[in-house]
Amino acid sequence: MRSIRTSLLVGAVVVTACAFALASIAIYRGAKSTLIADVDEELGEELRLVASTVRAQGATVQLGFEDLDMPEYTTARGDGFLQLWLEDGTVLYRSPTLAGGMLTDLPVIQTDQTSFAWARTPDGRRVRAVSIRFEARHEANATGRPLFVQAVAACEPEEIDVFLDRLKILLLAVGALTGLAAALTLAVVIRSSLRPLDVLAGQIEGLRDDVSSRVHMGRVPREMEPIVQQLNQLLARLESAFQRERTFSADIAHELRTPIADLRSMVEVMLSRPRSTDDYRDTLESTLDPIRRVQAIVERLLYLGRLDAGQIEIEEQPVDLCELVTASWQPVAGTVQRRRLSVEWDLPSAAHVVSDPLLLALAIRNVLENATNYANEGGYVRISIGATNGANTLRIVNSGSNVAPEEVGMLLRRFARGDVSRTAKGEHFGLGLALAAKIVSALHGTMDVQSRLGGEFSVTFSFESARERAVI
């Protein structure tokens, strides 16, 4: 792939060459037009002077320019060409330089019209010619029919051709030198202008695996500032992502360590000496709890990973939110009884939304588990469904919140807990609200979390009603 330096240099040289070529063409044509205009003006003045000496006497024409100082038209050594003739073709005068012939390729002109054109001599040489057609003036008191004369004066453009040839050579030479100087200058300028790229590349190479470092702006050109800013923002995002990954890995190790240690301890105790069949059964049954906890962690992590990667297919259909909440309540009913919680229901007869029933049930169950597990002993849980601005809302509230309002956002992170006192028991592993938030977002709904320390903790789901979705 061509480098930026090469592309800029080639492009700049081509543009410079084209600009100089256009300027040279303009200079050449301007000089040529000016020289030809000067020749035309001189030939025209001389031809009008010749015409002023022509007189008509009856049916004849008298020429008087022999008395003028015009050796270029009157002598064989002259470098000019002059011819005059009547409109019937009668030749009145031919300069000796025409050697008895006539100029050719002359345009047809009208009276009082001056024509400038290129013509040919009898021997084929190209000349610049000026032609006029005029009526010969009669002598005083003389009468007769009008006599029209056409006169042509011409000269070879030898001096013009020599000058233009020299100008052409000069322009080519100046163009070549200018192109070379421009290429060298541009190469230095481009190298100097692109030096910050080399500096930037060196800083990036120096980062290696340290994404906590940033690229210094320094004397970065204005055009490169957005690149450096975006690069630093990318490094910041990478650092944040790596930090989350390290934290996530550490949390997984921490969460799995307790149930795995419990399993190992139970198995080691069971194998320490021979036991009866009932003892083996009791020990195996006791291992089910840590196994279920490990399974729950893995399953929820898999769901979170699939949601992050967009690998879960969402099958939307009309869902009765009331029925879904009632069905999701059954797995947590035992916890409610064990912890002596009171439950308050406020559900309408039906509340339909368009969603994926399996994913939505998983999100609701996670929030219900969070509410029943973290409510204070002997407290309460409130579940209500309502409608607000064309959307159906599900609100789950529990008493005895141990989360300050400013810490609510942290609960949506994986492995976050609001009730530190239960952490050591290994009963909760801080994935429920994070998974619920991910699911609700994937289902195009919203999830709002509110908390008051020592008061209520509430989670509110909001989904467009089936009727509103049908209208859209």
Side-chain angles (χ1 to χ4, degrees):
M1 182 180 294
R2 180 181 294 177
S3 67
I4 295 179
R5 288 185 177 87
T6 303
S7 299
L8 290 176
L9 181 59
V10 171
V13 170
V14 169
V15 170
T16 303
C18 291
F20 186 84
L22 292 175
S24 298
I25 292 173
I27 293 173
Y28 182 83
R29 290 186 175 179
K32 182 178 180 180
S33 298
T34 301
L35 292 174
I36 292 176
D38 292 341
V39 171
D40 290 344
E41 183 179 1
E42 184 178 353
L43 288 174
E45 291 178 355
E46 292 176 349
L47 194 57
R48 285 189 288 273
L49 181 61
V50 170
S52 66
T53 65
V54 177
R55 297 288 185 272
Q57 292 182 350
T60 62
V61 175
Q62 299 294 326
L63 304 177
F65 64 85
E66 289 86 351
D67 297 333
L68 301 176
D69 185 18
M70 293 185 172
E72 65 272 19
Y73 300 124
T74 58
T75 64
R77 296 181 178 179
D79 56 0
F81 305 91
L82 178 66
Q83 63 185 38
L84 293 87
W85 68 94
L86 296 175
E87 60 182 358
D88 61 2
T90 303
V91 177
L92 301 177
Y93 179 79
R94 279 186 295 213
S95 60
T97 52
L98 289 173
M102 296 284 286
L103 294 172
T104 58
D105 298 338
L106 296 173
V108 178
I109 59 175
Q110 304 297 324
T111 305
D112 298 330
Q113 180 183 2
T114 302
S115 175
F116 305 93
W118 292 99
R120 294 284 178 181
T121 63
D123 55 2
R125 288 175 293 170
R126 187 173 69 99
V127 294
R128 185 65 178 176
V130 178
S131 303
I132 61 173
R133 185 173 181 269
F134 61 93
E135 182 182 353
R137 287 182 293 179
H138 289 273
E139 296 292 340
N141 301 323
T143 59
R145 64 183 181 84
L147 295 176
F148 291 95
V149 180
Q150 184 168 346
V152 177
C155 68
E156 291 187 83
E158 182 178 356
E159 293 184 0
I160 295 177
D161 292 340
V162 171
F163 176 83
L164 292 178
D165 288 341
R166 291 178 178 175
L167 179 61
K168 189 184 300 182
I169 295 173
L170 178 62
L171 290 175
L172 290 174
V174 172
L177 293 175
T178 302
L180 180 60
L184 295 176
T185 304
L186 288 170
V188 174
V189 172
I190 291 173
R191 180 181 295 275
S192 175
S193 300
L194 295 180
R195 187 171 293 116
L197 285 178
D198 297 331
V199 176
L200 178 61
Q203 289 191 45
I204 295 175
E205 183 180 3
L207 295 177
R208 298 293 180 177
D209 297 330
D210 183 15
V211 293
S212 62
S213 300
R214 298 293 181 266
V215 177
H216 300 292
M217 298 294 287
R219 299 177 61 183
V220 175
R222 184 178 303 171
E223 293 78 8
M224 288 180 59
E225 288 180 359
I227 298 176
V228 175
Q229 291 173 356
Q230 292 296 324
L231 180 59
N232 284 333
Q233 292 176 11
L234 175 61
L235 289 172
R237 291 194 296 270
L238 287 174
E239 182 183 10
S240 178
F242 289 158
Q243 182 60 38
R244 289 196 302 270
E245 187 71 22
R246 286 191 291 267
T247 303
F248 184 60
S249 300
D251 288 338
I252 292 176
H254 175 75
E255 294 298 331
L256 293 179
R257 179 178 59 185
T258 300
I260 291 175
D262 291 344
L263 283 173
R264 178 178 177 180
S265 176
M266 292 176 185
V267 173
E268 287 177 346
V269 170
M270 182 177 61
L271 295 176
S272 62
R273 60 182 176 83
R275 298 178 184 274
S276 65
T277 303
D278 292 337
D279 290 338
Y280 282 122
R281 180 182 296 276
D282 293 340
T283 304
L284 289 174
E285 287 178 352
S286 63
T287 62
L288 287 177
D289 183 59
I291 290 174
R292 291 191 185 100
R293 286 160 50 200
V294 171
Q295 182 181 9
I297 293 174
V298 173
E299 287 178 350
R300 294 186 184 188
L301 286 174
L302 286 174
Y303 259 104
L304 283 168
R306 289 172 183 172
L307 285 170
D308 288 338
Q311 296 177 349
I312 294 181
E313 294 184 3
I314 298 175
E315 299 180 0
E316 292 186 337
Q317 62 188 58
V319 178
D320 188 340
L321 196 56
C322 297
E323 292 182 358
L324 204 61
V325 171
T326 303
S328 301
W329 176 257
Q330 299 303 319
V332 300
T335 305
V336 172
Q337 294 177 358
R338 186 177 67 254
R339 305 194 65 233
R340 295 178 290 104
L341 302 176
S342 63
V343 182
E344 300 177 18
W345 296 86
D346 183 11
L347 305 183
S349 58
H352 290 91
V353 296
V354 177
S355 185
D356 187 307
L358 296 178
L359 287 177
L360 183 54
L362 178 60
I364 294 173
R365 187 167 65 251
N366 275 276
V367 176
L368 289 175
E369 289 178 356
N370 186 82
T372 55
N373 284 322
Y374 285 103
N376 58 311
E377 193 81 21
Y380 61 84
V381 175
R382 293 174 182 167
I383 304 169
S384 60
I385 294 178
T388 305
N389 298 326
N392 285 326
T393 59
L394 167 62
R395 189 165 185 259
I396 300 173
V397 180
N398 65 269
S399 60
S401 175
N402 290 309
V403 180
E406 61 272 13
E407 297 176 353
V408 167
M410 180 191 68
L411 297 181
L412 301 182
R413 301 175 185 174
R414 300 166 188 182
F415 298 111
R417 300 179 183 82
D419 190 350
V420 181
S421 65
R422 290 187 172 87
T423 301
K425 297 181 181 181
E427 297 174 358
H428 315 291
F429 28 83
L431 290 172
L433 291 180
L435 179 56
K438 275 287 184 180
I439 291 175
V440 171
S441 177
L443 295 177
H444 309 292
T446 60
M447 175 175 159
D448 179 58
V449 182
Q450 300 291 332
S451 177
R452 183 168 57 88
L453 188 61
E456 292 184 341
F457 183 92
S458 67
V459 177
T460 305
F461 292 155
S462 180
F463 295 94
E464 267 186 331
S465 66
R467 181 179 298 177
E468 293 293 328
R469 289 288 295 270
V471 171
I472 294 175

